[in-house]
Amino acid sequence: LVYFGYPQAHEDDAERAVRAGLAIARSIERFDADISRRHDVVLAVRIGVATGPVVVGDIIGEGAAEEAAVVGETPNLAARLQAIAGANQVVIAPRTKNLVAGLFKYQSLGTCELKGVTAPTQVWRVLSESDVGSRYEAIRGGAVSPLVGRQEELGLLVRSWEAAKAGRGQVMLIQGEGGIGKSRLLEALREHVAPDEHRWVAVRCSPYHSNSSLYPIVEQLKRAFAWMPEDSEHEKLEKLERALAQRGLALEEVVPLYAQIMSLTAPDGRYPALGLSADQQRENTLDALAGWLLETADDTPVLTIWEDLNWADPTTLEVLQLVIEQSPTVAMLNVLTYRPDFAPPWAMRSHMTPITLNRLERAEVEALIRHQSKGKALPAEVIDHIVVKADGVPLYAEELTRAILESEHISEEPDRYTLSGSLSEMSIPATLQDSLMARLDRLPMAREVAQVGAVLGREFSYELLRHTTNLDDASLQNGLSELVENELLYQRGRPPRSRYIFKHALIQDAAYESLLKSKRQALHGQIAQALERRLRHDGDSEPEIMAYHYSAAGMAKEAAIHWLEAGRRALR
């Protein structure tokens, strides 16, 4: 059993696990074909993938026994799925299927009774990766949300496309945080250019290949050359030669370069040795890759998307820089997307235009909510809840609305929805929990500070945080600085009189829910006692806040005393 957990989390853990499973199954299948011929041995693997919370370590025992302890329904479900998988098959659970959506092709295995799992479980076998035009299309599975609040940005992209079609190549740089709508804006541009004669090229960077040289470009080339997983080395080489010849490139010069970066071995004597130094070969390879992309635009305008450059490896960025510098000479629009923590390594030029996507206004968020509910009216408190929690981020608004509509807390009637439960009991959708926590998990010291801050509330003071945590002032301030620099917190004032606000309510919720219940209770108790000490010191009393923390700490007697005082104040 292999666990991809929060301490090493990426934002697409389920996708990463399924891709790893497919790669393992294929490798074993190829290896078995060889070993079984020579040794009369059959080697196979069965893989089950389930997604959900687990507790790792800190249970019982010492040393390795403690570190290896894993508790939760998820590992049990994964083990049961593994047991029903066939040789060299990958079988996944419903929650995993929801998360990986259209990224793969599946075969339904029906509903299975699994030992230790209370309800019958729908399971799927993963057959292969799907070939989709964009990541947005893959994740949404063809369901397109309305484009709201981005008409001005779309207009800039359309004007740049018109200039590019006329032979004046353009570069658009789209910056925005995760979930803000970069992919949806690209999809709107793609819809607009669909009637035009053009080529679409997608170079997609991956969070778990940011140290793999040229990975996104190599993957794009595999699609361009129509490589299939079952192709032999000979078939792949033929497809590569055919594609390069169609571009009018000198095969004896470029095939050896492409073959090396794509892990192909040409038959001995097929191509003469290039006789280049390491530096010359590297330079020629980068030029050949940039040339392939630019020459694609010689006969037809090209729209090239460079997605998620915040995950790009340095060599891919070098190729991109060559493309950017030469773009004005061809009919090509390059659209670059990245998050705010990425600093473009190239200077701005006249043919480059930056766009920053900001959060949506309330009316625009409500439009997304209406789309999700198919026009049916939602209770005002549900809309307020989504608007506050989403903080203007389209992805958050859509996923929260979907989670609420699918929950047991709301009932559907012919013309509207009615609330039948408490919104406070709603948990963060699985589609958001991982991506929210991944931002904190990249900052281990800051994560602990964020978790304590989340128990304090959406807004908290440095003074109260210092009295709640065991960290020294230097560590505490470093953690807070990291959270502010990474735009997870906003800061007002300077320590020790500073105050902090979580940028998104959902980030606070994710940090809070990542704590074990016992740890949360202990922190609530510490906060309540710190507030009691402050009351004795300066007489500033907020009995309802102390009552809340005592209640969450399970300290019923103290909570009752302060709830009573809060009630008396309200009556007065």
Side-chain angles (χ1 to χ4, degrees):
L1 295 177
V2 179
Y3 299 93
F4 295 105
Y6 281 140
Q8 296 84 31
H10 285 294
E11 300 188 19
D12 302 297
D13 277 352
E15 177 190 349
R16 182 162 62 128
V18 175
R19 288 194 189 280
L22 282 176
I24 292 167
R26 288 170 182 163
S27 298
I28 294 294
E29 204 163 31
R30 288 194 295 268
F31 186 61
D32 176 56
D34 178 57
I35 198 173
S36 60
R37 283 196 307 269
R38 294 187 286 128
H39 301 287
D40 195 26
V41 171
V42 175
L43 182 66
V45 63
R46 300 193 308 269
I47 298 173
V49 182
T51 306
V54 299
V55 178
V56 182
D58 294 331
I59 312 294
I60 56 174
E62 297 178 355
E66 179 187 20
E67 294 169 7
V70 179
V71 177
E73 295 180 2
T74 306
N76 177 61
L77 177 55
R80 303 306 174 194
L81 294 174
Q82 176 266 337
I84 66 173
N88 300 319
Q89 290 185 357
V90 180
V91 177
I92 63 174
R95 189 173 184 183
T96 307
K97 171 75 158 44
N98 290 338
L99 291 171
V100 297
L103 296 171
F104 302 92
K105 296 177 182 177
Y106 311 95
Q107 174 190 0
S108 175
L109 300 181
T111 301
C112 299
E113 298 280 350
L114 302 176
K115 184 178 179 181
V117 179
T118 53
T121 305
Q122 174 73 38
V123 297
W124 291 266
R125 176 190 171 193
V126 183
L127 301 175
S128 64
E129 295 90 346
S130 62
D131 187 16
V132 290
S134 69
R135 183 170 180 79
Y136 180 89
E137 178 186 338
I139 293 174
R140 296 292 168 169
V144 178
S145 301
L147 183 72
V148 297
R150 305 293 187 217
Q151 280 68 31
E152 183 177 344
E153 291 85 351
L154 180 59
L156 284 172
L157 289 169
V158 169
R159 286 195 291 276
S160 293
W161 172 245
E162 295 300 323
K165 283 197 302 180
R168 304 189 309 275
Q170 302 290 304
V171 178
M172 302 294 292
L173 301 92
I174 304 178
Q175 172 187 291
E177 61 186 292
I180 202 67
K182 300 185 293 296
S183 296
R184 178 63 187 93
L185 183 58
L186 292 181
E187 195 66 19
L189 174 62
R190 192 179 180 194
E191 293 166 2
H192 178 85
V193 306
D196 299 339
E197 184 183 3
H198 73 288
R199 285 195 179 94
W200 165 273
V201 177
V203 182
R204 306 182 190 113
C205 302
S206 161
Y208 33 89
H209 292 99
S210 56
N211 295 311
S212 300
S213 184
L214 295 172
Y215 171 83
I217 294 177
V218 168
E219 289 300 303
Q220 192 279 325
L221 290 173
K222 288 179 182 178
R223 294 191 295 272
F225 299 156
W227 280 12
M228 303 301 291
E230 61 273 13
D231 285 349
S232 66
E233 292 275 300
H234 176 71
E235 290 170 325
K236 289 179 179 178
L237 183 59
E238 282 194 337
K239 289 181 176 181
L240 184 149
E241 290 172 332
R242 193 181 310 123
L244 295 178
Q246 288 172 353
R247 291 279 176 271
L249 301 174
L251 297 187
E252 66 277 4
E253 294 179 6
V254 295
V255 168
L257 299 174
Y258 276 82
Q260 183 173 20
I261 65 168
M262 302 187 75
S263 303
L264 272 182
T265 303
D268 290 340
R270 187 157 182 167
Y271 293 99
L274 295 176
L276 302 173
S277 69
D279 287 343
Q280 288 174 326
Q281 182 160 329
R282 184 179 190 279
E283 183 176 318
N284 286 7
T285 300
L286 299 186
D287 287 341
L289 291 172
W292 162 267
L293 292 167
L294 292 163
E295 285 159 14
T296 305
D298 277 348
D299 52 0
T300 306
V302 175
L303 174 57
T304 305
I305 305 299
W306 300 77
E307 280 194 275
D308 297 318
L309 289 178
N310 42 287
W311 292 324
D313 62 277
T315 316
T316 293
L317 294 178
E318 287 187 62
V319 175
L320 175 55
Q321 185 160 3
L322 291 173
V323 173
I324 288 174
E325 290 170 354
Q326 301 173 59
S327 283
T329 66
V330 293
M332 174 182 283
L333 172 60
N334 287 281
V335 183
L336 288 49
T337 73
Y338 51 87
R339 297 188 180 181
D341 55 358
F342 173 75
W346 45 77
M348 291 296 294
R349 304 286 180 84
S350 60
H351 64 288
M352 302 167 67
T353 305
I355 294 176
T356 299
L357 297 185
N358 296 310
R359 288 187 258 180
L360 300 180
E361 300 295 333
R362 181 185 177 103
E364 295 161 343
V365 174
E366 290 182 357
L368 290 176
I369 296 172
R370 285 194 298 274
H371 176 79
Q372 291 290 324
S373 68
K374 295 181 171 57
K376 287 189 178 182
L378 282 164
E381 56 265 46
V382 172
I383 294 175
D384 289 341
H385 174 84
I386 296 170
V387 168
V388 169
K389 294 289 186 182
D391 280 327
V393 178
L395 176 65
Y396 296 175
E398 291 174 354
E399 295 299 334
L400 281 170
T401 306
R402 187 178 296 114
I404 289 174
L405 293 179
E406 293 173 355
S407 75
E408 60 187 17
H409 302 287
I410 200 160
S411 302
E412 183 177 6
E413 298 182 6
D415 60 340
R416 60 193 175 97
Y417 287 95
T418 57
L419 191 61
S420 55
S422 173
L423 288 172
S424 62
E425 298 174 5
M426 287 288 300
S427 59
I428 300 175
T431 45
L432 296 182
Q433 176 74 32
D434 286 356
S435 62
L436 292 167
M437 277 307 301
R439 298 185 64 187
L440 291 173
D441 286 326
R442 286 191 286 266
L443 313 166
M445 178 61 72
R447 181 180 68 232
E448 182 180 344
V449 174
Q451 287 172 326
V452 178
V455 179
L456 287 168
R458 176 80 185 271
E459 182 176 352
F460 56 90
S461 68
Y462 177 85
E463 180 188 11
L464 188 54
L465 182 64
R466 184 178 61 182
H467 285 97
T468 305
T469 180
N470 296 323
L471 297 174
D472 58 72
D473 277 358
S475 299
L476 183 58
Q477 291 184 27
N478 286 339
L480 288 167
S481 296
E482 282 189 341
L483 291 168
V484 172
E485 288 169 8
N486 284 273
E487 295 193 19
L488 296 170
L489 291 179
Y490 291 131
Q491 177 179 343
R492 186 171 71 238
R494 295 181 182 275
R497 292 183 172 81
S498 53
R499 297 191 65 81
Y500 301 88
I501 303 172
F502 279 96
K503 182 177 181 181
H504 295 300
L506 284 179
I507 292 176
Q508 179 206 347
D509 291 349
Y512 184 84
E513 290 184 15
S514 69
L515 288 164
L516 294 178
K517 184 177 180 181
S518 58
K519 179 67 173 176
R520 284 205 304 260
Q521 284 189 324
L523 285 171
H524 279 295
Q526 293 174 32
I527 293 167
Q529 290 162 3
L531 290 170
E532 290 270 24
R533 289 193 295 272
R534 190 173 75 178
L535 172 62
R536 289 194 293 270
H537 182 264
D538 57 20
D540 184 15
S541 172
E542 293 179 290
E544 66 279 9
I545 300 298
M546 287 187 282
Y548 162 73
H549 285 294
Y550 275 128
S551 296
M555 303 169 72
K557 179 180 177 181
E558 292 83 354
I561 292 170
H562 288 90
W563 282 126
L564 179 60
E565 174 59 23
R568 285 172 174 163
R569 286 194 175 199
L571 285 171
R572 288 200 298 270

